[in-house]
Amino acid sequence: MANSPRPIAMIETTLTINGTRHEVNADPRTTLLDALRHHLGLHGTKKGCDHGQCGACTVMVDGERINSCLALACMHDGDEITTVEGLGQPGNLSPMQDAFVRHDGYQCGYCTPGQVVSATAMLGEAKRGWPSFVSDDLDTDVALTTQEISERMSGNLCRCSAYPGIVNAILDADGQQPEGEAGAEIVNLVLEGAQ
Ligand code: FES
Ligand code: FES
C-alpha cells in the first residue's frame, strides 16, 4: 500500500516590514516575495520572472537589496524589510521616487518598484565605496557615472526600455546633473552589458 504524503508543517516567521512587525504562518517553502504579496497584501513588490533574472521583486533586507523571489521568508525571521511602500507614498515621495516621476523613469511601471528600491540601495552601496565590475580603481571613492549606474542597475530589467529616464533619475537623486539627451548612449551601454 502506498504511503500517504506527510502534511507540511507550517512555520511561524516574524518580519518587520516598513517598520511594522508581522507574523507570517506559512509553508516553509514560501518565498519572501509570496509572503509579501499573498500573505501580507503588499502588492508594490512585483513578480516578473520568479527566478532571479529581472529584479522586479527587489526589496531591502537590513538595508541591502535582494531579489525576494530567491529568498525563503523563513530565512528572514527577525529581519527588517523595506519595500517600495516603505520608501514613500503619494504626496510624500522619497527623493528617488520623485526623481523617477520627474524624469519619466518608466512607461508601463511594472519594473518600477524594483528599480526604485534597487536604485535607493545602490546609492548607499556607492557611498560605502563598494566597487562594481566597471570601477577602474578599487581604492578611490566611487563616482556614479552613467556607465557605473548602468552596470550597478544591470540586475533590474525594463521591458519598456525606459533606461535613459531611469539613469537620469538616479543621477538627479545622487545630486548630479542629468544627462539630457544621453539616451542612445545609455541604451547602448545596457545592450552591451546584456551580450
Ligand atoms: S521576480 Fe524576482 S528577479 Fe524576477
Ligand atoms: S516601465 Fe515597463 S517594464 Fe519597465
Side-chain angles (χ1 to χ4, degrees), residues 71-85:
L72 296 176
C74 61
M75 293 163 56
H76 292 287
D77 187 42
D79 286 350
E80 303 260 350
I81 317 290
T82 305
T83 68
V84 70
E85 293 96 337

Side-chain angles (χ1 to χ4, degrees), residues 83-99 101 116:
T83 68
V84 70
E85 293 96 337
L87 295 182
Q89 290 287 328
N92 184 27
L93 298 179
S94 74
M96 188 65 75
Q97 289 170 318
D98 184 58
V101 171
V116 169

Side-chain angles (χ1 to χ4, degrees), residues 17 24 47 73 101 116-117 154 176 181 192:
I17 302 168
V24 178
K47 182 180 285 191
V101 171
V116 169
V117 173
S154 59
Q176 301 188 52
E181 298 303 316
E192 279 169 23

Side-chain angles (χ1 to χ4, degrees), residues 33 46-57 67 69:
L33 175 60
K46 299 294 187 258
K47 182 180 285 191
C49 63
D50 208 20
H51 55 266
Q53 294 195 335
C54 73
C57 64
N67 289 332
C69 70

Side-chain angles (χ1 to χ4, degrees), residues 106-109 111 158-160:
Y106 51 85
Q107 288 185 37
C108 77
C111 72
C158 175
R159 280 192 282 186
C160 300

Side-chain angles (χ1 to χ4, degrees), residues 1 5 18 76 87-88 96 109 118 127 135-136 147 157 162 166 178:
M1 195 172 89
N18 304 327
H76 292 287
L87 295 182
M96 188 65 75
S118 188
K127 282 197 175 64
S135 301
D136 289 332
Q147 192 180 28
L157 304 183
I166 292 169

Side-chain angles (χ1 to χ4, degrees), residues 29-49:
R29 298 167 293 183
T30 303
T31 64
L32 180 58
L33 175 60
D34 285 343
L36 292 169
R37 290 181 57 85
H38 302 308
H39 290 259
L40 299 170
L42 289 165
H43 298 133
T45 306
K46 299 294 187 258
K47 182 180 285 191
C49 63

